[in-house]
Amino acid sequence: MADSRSASVQLSATPADRPVYVIGAGPGGLAAAYALRARGIRAVVLERADRVGASWHGHYDRLRLHTTRRLSALPGLKIPRKFGRWVSRDDVVRYLEKYAEHHELEIVTGVEVFRVERAGDGTGWLLHASGGRELTGSAVVVATGYNHTPHVPDWPGLAEYGGEFLHASEYRNAKPYDGRDVLVVGVGNTGAEIAVDLAEGGASRVRLSVRTAPHIVRRSTAGWAAQYTGVLVRQLPVGLVDRLAKPMARLSVPDLSGHGLPRPDTGLYSRVNEGSIPVQDVGIIDGVRRGRIEIVPAIEGFEDDKVLLADGSRVGPDVTIAATGYVRALEDLVGHLCVLDTHGKPVVHGARTPVNAPGLYFQGYTNPISGMLRELAIDARKIAKAIARDTVGPSRLPG
């Protein structure tokens, strides 16, 4: 079983016995904790929720990994074959719970870390946590998640909007929207899949608001997963991948320009480097071609019970769902350490540690084309190796 003893017992950290603290019990945090433990280093995972993998519990019902089971496993435990090639949300949750139990990870739930700063003696890190706790660690791995806090653009008139509005993080399934007119805003993987779910689940009308046409790829072609290609091309020059992707897209994805989704002007890998992962087709192509999902322009604002679009038109959906992404929300936690860029993302990640903050690591703040879970597993081992190199003495487990 994962160690879940009371915080009063677990959260004692003295200068003579400093563990590595891992903030967040999602896939990244669990993988890092296991990799550290495998090297004989005591790692204590601090999770603000009451269970591991808390964010996965809240994802929409139909969600499945867009990466294969084999390339999505965390280090030290395979995902069961019975979960299928494309693992469902519920099975991801089961796997994370089993992972923590199998590796007997030391996890303390119900503890939120508010601020991380250098320890007074300059040889470690001081964590300020809920309940007035002050915890001192030899190193810290921040793994609070890429999708941490829902982001809603500051659209004019939204505060006074009279229609029903929610962020995609609140969406679970199509049942509440049966027979209703729904506008989905944002054509990333989440927005595209929610639109498909609504169209298949009984919504009377589904419109998808698009600002920038995405690259769309088949999740699998003749058994070859898109992720395999992502792994192969990750180290190639960006321009070369862009050139190779164009003819492949024309062969595998129909032209949807007549339906409002033209092929993107910028290259696929160039777009990835800007932070935009291709949309994997789980029904969006068919939904758009059949007219079950209507493409409309970007939102410009709200007025009374109407939504204003970029072409000057006004629409009045029953419900508007904003699939407009998330922010990392790391500013309060580590922003004062000058380790974030202008977009609020860590300036380094994985085994690299900021020059001005040695011993502070960030896990899971990239969204690579080769698959986030695959890269989390790789980075976990690299982080553990770096900490093992730099951490000595009492923070190690006996034996």
Side-chain angles (χ1 to χ4, degrees):
M1 293 287 292
D3 193 335
S4 58
R5 290 173 293 167
S6 67
S8 62
V9 174
Q10 293 234 153
L11 299 184
S12 59
T14 67
D17 180 16
R18 292 179 175 177
V20 174
Y21 283 109
V22 180
I23 307 174
L30 297 180
Y34 162 73
L36 287 162
R37 185 180 179 89
R39 286 184 172 271
I41 299 171
R42 184 183 175 211
V44 178
V45 182
L46 306 176
E47 168 57 48
R48 67 174 181 172
D50 61 355
R51 53 192 171 184
V52 303
S55 65
W56 283 89
H57 288 265
H59 289 317
Y60 50 92
D61 295 349
R62 72 173 283 154
L63 177 66
R64 289 183 176 272
L65 294 181
H66 291 168
T67 53
T68 66
R69 179 190 71 253
R70 187 172 64 84
L71 295 185
S72 300
L74 302 181
L77 186 67
K78 294 180 179 180
I79 298 177
R81 188 180 184 87
K82 65 181 179 181
F83 288 174
R85 193 182 195 196
W86 311 106
V87 184
S88 71
R89 177 204 64 184
D90 290 346
D91 284 336
V92 170
V93 170
R94 293 185 184 97
Y95 172 69
L96 295 178
E97 292 171 345
K98 180 63 177 178
Y99 189 87
E101 179 183 359
H102 177 79
H103 291 306
E104 299 182 327
L105 300 181
E106 192 173 351
I107 301 169
V108 185
T109 59
V111 175
E112 182 173 4
V113 179
F114 300 117
R115 184 179 174 90
V116 176
E117 59 187 33
R118 296 295 290 177
D121 61 6
T123 61
W125 291 94
L126 178 65
L127 285 67
H128 298 272
S130 54
R133 301 178 182 89
E134 293 188 349
L135 315 170
T136 306
S138 58
V140 174
V141 180
V142 180
T144 52
Y146 187 85
N147 295 332
H148 186 273
T149 301
H151 168 69
V152 175
D154 187 19
W155 285 307
L158 178 58
E160 295 77 35
Y161 178 52
E164 185 176 343
F165 180 92
L166 65 149
H167 188 270
S169 60
E170 301 174 73
Y171 179 88
R172 293 296 173 266
N173 55 59
K175 186 175 181 180
Y177 311 100
D178 185 27
R180 305 181 75 187
D181 180 340
V182 186
L183 173 65
V184 180
V185 185
V187 70
N189 277 293
T190 296
E193 191 156 358
I194 287 177
V196 171
D197 196 40
L198 289 163
E200 294 177 352
S204 63
R205 186 176 189 180
V206 179
R207 283 175 284 200
L208 182 59
S209 173
V210 177
R211 182 173 298 279
T212 304
H215 286 275
I216 302 175
V217 299
R218 301 285 189 182
R219 185 167 65 176
S220 179
T221 303
W224 179 266
Q227 184 188 11
Y228 298 163
T229 302
V231 172
L232 291 175
V233 305
R234 190 162 186 238
Q235 302 304 322
L236 295 179
V238 172
L240 175 60
V241 178
D242 285 348
R243 290 193 295 273
L244 292 173
K246 281 186 178 181
M248 292 301 297
R250 294 186 183 278
L251 286 172
S252 61
V253 178
D255 186 1
L256 299 174
S257 299
H259 300 278
L261 274 183
R263 296 189 188 277
D265 295 328
T266 54
L268 183 148
Y269 208 13
S270 294
R271 190 75 69 81
V272 170
N273 282 349
E274 295 170 359
S276 179
I277 294 295
V279 171
Q280 292 204 7
D281 176 37
V282 292
I284 186 67
I285 292 175
D286 186 63
V288 170
R289 291 179 75 181
R290 292 176 179 270
R292 298 165 69 186
I293 299 172
E294 305 170 44
I295 303 300
V296 299
I299 283 185
E300 291 297 314
F302 296 79
E303 187 174 285
D304 299 324
D305 60 346
K306 300 294 183 182
V307 181
L308 311 180
L309 303 180
D311 64 354
S313 63
R314 297 153 55 94
V315 297
D318 297 321
V319 185
T320 300
I321 301 175
T324 46
Y326 297 79
V327 294
R328 274 30 78 193
L330 292 169
E331 287 78 7
D332 290 344
L333 186 68
V334 296
H336 55 285
L337 298 172
C338 299
V339 294
L340 305 177
D341 64 17
T342 55
H343 300 290
K345 295 181 180 180
V347 294
V348 297
H349 68 276
R352 292 185 296 164
T353 189
V355 174
N356 59 321
L360 181 65
Y361 297 84
F362 294 91
Q363 160 78 314
Y365 295 96
T366 62
N367 196 12
I369 194 173
S370 50
M372 181 179 288
L373 292 176
R374 176 182 182 271
E375 299 305 323
L376 286 178
I378 293 171
D379 282 346
R381 291 190 172 99
K382 291 180 178 179
I383 290 171
K385 182 179 180 180
I387 292 176
R389 181 188 63 230
D390 298 335
T391 304
V392 296
S395 64
R396 294 182 181 275
L397 289 169

